[in-house]
């Protein structure tokens, strides 16, 4: 019986309240409401307010009627500074048809757990806010393809487990100290941008990202490039400028802005020497290594396989 009660409670939380919306205040919202009445329903709405709007001062700075536009699939909203600091969960969950939600350049410090109910969401942009964490419910966003978290206050992103369709992740200009991503569940990832953080190490698990095309990690605290990167044959953009890379020969290769194949060959050779040395020093005990010995990437390099990397400031 307890299980039945819990199930009923979850159903109630997931259900739309079905209430009709209040009279619109903003002309953009009114235009969508009129389109519904005329049987030509608009599916997108964009709202920009550079100054505080006194007409909605009593409703958290947002026209309450906006949250009743259940048919829209694209919402972009940018309000004056310090206006949009949070979103009411029951309001947001009415917008179940959203596939694109753009809330860049606001003052959000948190997101409601109900965001995990937006099952059709594919593009979520939250750059230039004040976010420091993501709700666990976002693991339900299995259709999400783009997540933009640039210029926030994150120290940790978590694993992002469940976002199996994610192809672009941007989290530059935060305070991230460690990459905790569940790479094995992010195999569609093509762009990973984590520049201008405090990351000291790239996990060896990055080797499973066989669809990775762009890797940007400039201005961090990275000292080594993991051996597993050598297996990522599709990488074309590789940016590591302004990192304290320890290997002087690798630094020279990076500064030359040469072919990616030369970087990978050098890393493979250095790893081989490191493995041999460790075996000689510890014949009876295998010591842990930064890079896995189980990964043995093989390549058929193309002469024009190049990369984009700048290291002028190293």
């Amino acid at each position: 019986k307890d299980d039945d009660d819990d199930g009923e409670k979850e159903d109630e939380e997931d259900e739309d309240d079905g209430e009709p919306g209040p009279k619109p205040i903003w002309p953009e919202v009114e235009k969508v409401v009129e389109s519904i009445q005329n049987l030509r329903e608009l599916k997108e709405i964009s709202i920009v307010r550079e100054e505080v709007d006194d007409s909605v001062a009593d409703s958290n700075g947002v026209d309450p009627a906006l949250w009743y536009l259940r048919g829209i699939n694209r919402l972009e909203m940018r309000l004056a500074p310090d206006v949009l600091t949070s979103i009411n969960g029951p309001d947001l969950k009415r917008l179940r048809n959203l596939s694109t939600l753009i809330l860049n350049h606001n003052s959000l410090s948190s997101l409601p757990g109900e965001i995990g109910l937006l099952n059709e969401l594919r593009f979520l942009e939250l750059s230039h806010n004040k976010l420091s964490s993501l709700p666990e419910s976002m693991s339900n966003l299995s259709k999400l393809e783009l997540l933009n978290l640039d210029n926030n206050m994150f120290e940790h992103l978590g694993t992002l487990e469940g976002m199996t369709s994610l192809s672009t992740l941007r989290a530059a200009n935060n305070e991230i100290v460690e990459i905790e991503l569940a790479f094995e569940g992010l195999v569609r990832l093509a762009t990973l941008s984590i520049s201008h953080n405090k990351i000291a190490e790239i996990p060896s698990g990055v080797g499973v990202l066989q669809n990775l095309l762009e890797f940007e990690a400039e201005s961090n605290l990275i000292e080594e490039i993991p051996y597993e990167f050598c297996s990522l044959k599709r990488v074309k953009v590789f940016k590591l400028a302004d990192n304290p890379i320890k290997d002087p020969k690798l630094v020279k290769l990076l500064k030359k802005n040469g072919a990616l194949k030369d970087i990978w060959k050098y890393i493979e050779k250095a790893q081989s020497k490191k493995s041999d040395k460790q075996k000689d020093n510890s014949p009876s005990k295998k010591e842990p290594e930064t890079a896995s010995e189980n990964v043995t990437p093989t390549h058929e390099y193309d002469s024009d396989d190049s990369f984009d990397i700048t290291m002028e400031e190293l």
Side-chain angles (χ1 to χ4, degrees):
K1 185 175 180 181
D2 290 341
D3 291 340
D4 292 340
D5 291 342
D6 291 341
E8 290 177 3
K9 184 176 180 180
E10 290 179 3
D11 290 340
E12 289 176 0
E13 291 177 351
D14 289 351
E15 286 180 0
D16 188 333
D17 54 29
E19 297 179 1
K23 184 178 179 180
I25 298 174
W26 286 343
E28 298 94 335
V29 177
E30 185 175 12
K31 185 177 180 180
V32 176
V33 172
E34 290 177 351
S35 75
I36 297 172
Q37 296 171 346
N38 296 330
L39 303 180
R40 288 185 165 184
E41 184 175 0
L42 296 175
K43 298 294 185 179
E44 301 182 0
I45 185 169
S46 178
I47 297 167
V48 178
R49 296 288 185 274
E50 299 292 344
E51 299 180 357
V52 176
D53 188 345
D54 293 333
S55 66
V56 290
D58 296 333
S59 54
N60 200 26
V62 178
D63 183 349
L66 170 67
W67 306 114
Y68 291 82
L69 301 180
R70 297 176 174 86
I72 60 173
N73 55 35
R74 185 182 189 277
L75 168 60
E76 180 174 4
M77 183 162 55
R78 177 179 178 180
L79 303 183
D82 299 319
V83 172
L84 189 63
T85 59
S86 63
I87 297 175
N88 183 35
D91 285 339
L92 183 62
K93 75 176 184 179
R94 294 191 195 98
L95 306 183
R96 297 291 185 89
N97 290 315
L98 280 181
S99 62
T100 300
L101 178 58
I102 302 175
L103 298 173
N104 298 329
H105 295 276
N106 283 291
S107 301
L108 290 169
S109 59
S110 64
L111 296 172
E114 285 83 352
I115 194 170
L117 298 175
L118 305 183
N119 297 321
E120 300 301 318
L121 202 59
R122 295 172 56 202
F123 306 100
L124 178 58
E125 299 203 32
L126 299 165
S127 72
H128 295 86
N129 277 282
K130 299 178 181 180
L131 296 169
S132 59
S133 63
L134 297 173
E136 292 184 6
S137 63
M138 285 186 62
S139 63
N140 297 324
L141 301 180
S142 60
K143 294 183 180 181
L144 194 67
E145 298 176 21
L146 179 148
L147 178 59
N148 186 353
L149 302 172
D150 286 347
N151 296 89
N152 275 282
M153 302 172 66
F154 289 97
E155 293 184 6
H156 299 273
L157 287 181
T159 64
L160 302 189
E161 189 174 1
M163 298 185 191
T164 53
S165 298
L166 198 65
S167 62
T168 300
L169 173 60
R170 298 192 176 280
N173 292 289
N174 280 279
E175 301 291 330
I176 301 170
V177 297
E178 183 181 4
I179 302 175
E180 304 163 300
L181 300 175
F183 288 122
E184 66 278 2
L186 299 173
V187 294
R188 295 188 183 182
L189 201 62
T191 298
L192 177 57
S193 174
I194 49 176
S195 296
H196 299 279
N197 280 288
K198 298 179 180 179
I199 299 167
E201 181 181 3
I202 305 172
S204 60
V206 72
V208 304
L209 302 180
Q210 294 299 312
N211 290 309
L212 194 66
L213 299 175
E214 301 179 13
F215 180 78
E216 302 174 356
E218 299 171 294
S219 299
N220 276 285
L221 304 174
I222 298 168
E223 297 182 346
E224 296 181 357
I225 301 174
Y227 172 55
E228 284 75 9
F229 250 115
C230 301
S231 68
L232 304 182
K233 303 177 184 179
R234 300 184 65 187
V235 173
K236 298 299 180 185
V237 176
F238 189 68
K239 296 184 178 181
L240 275 176
D242 196 20
N243 274 286
I245 304 295
K246 290 194 301 184
D247 189 326
K249 291 184 179 180
L250 183 55
V251 171
K252 289 181 179 180
L253 284 172
L254 295 171
K255 283 184 176 180
K256 287 182 178 179
N257 198 30
L260 182 58
K261 64 179 182 181
D262 295 333
I263 306 295
W264 283 182
K265 284 182 178 179
Y266 176 78
I267 294 175
E268 288 175 345
K269 186 177 180 180
Q271 176 64 22
S272 179
K273 289 183 177 180
K274 182 179 179 180
S275 297
D276 291 342
K277 184 177 180 180
Q278 288 181 334
K279 288 178 181 179
D280 292 340
N281 293 338
S282 303
S284 62
K285 182 178 181 181
K286 184 177 179 181
E287 297 180 359
E289 297 180 11
T290 300
S292 171
E293 292 182 339
N294 296 325
V295 179
T296 307
T298 57
H299 299 272
E300 294 183 1
Y301 293 106
D302 296 327
S303 59
D304 60 348
D305 186 10
S306 60
F307 73 119
D308 177 8
I309 181 164
T310 56
M311 298 293 291
E312 291 84 0
E313 299 300 324
L314 283 173

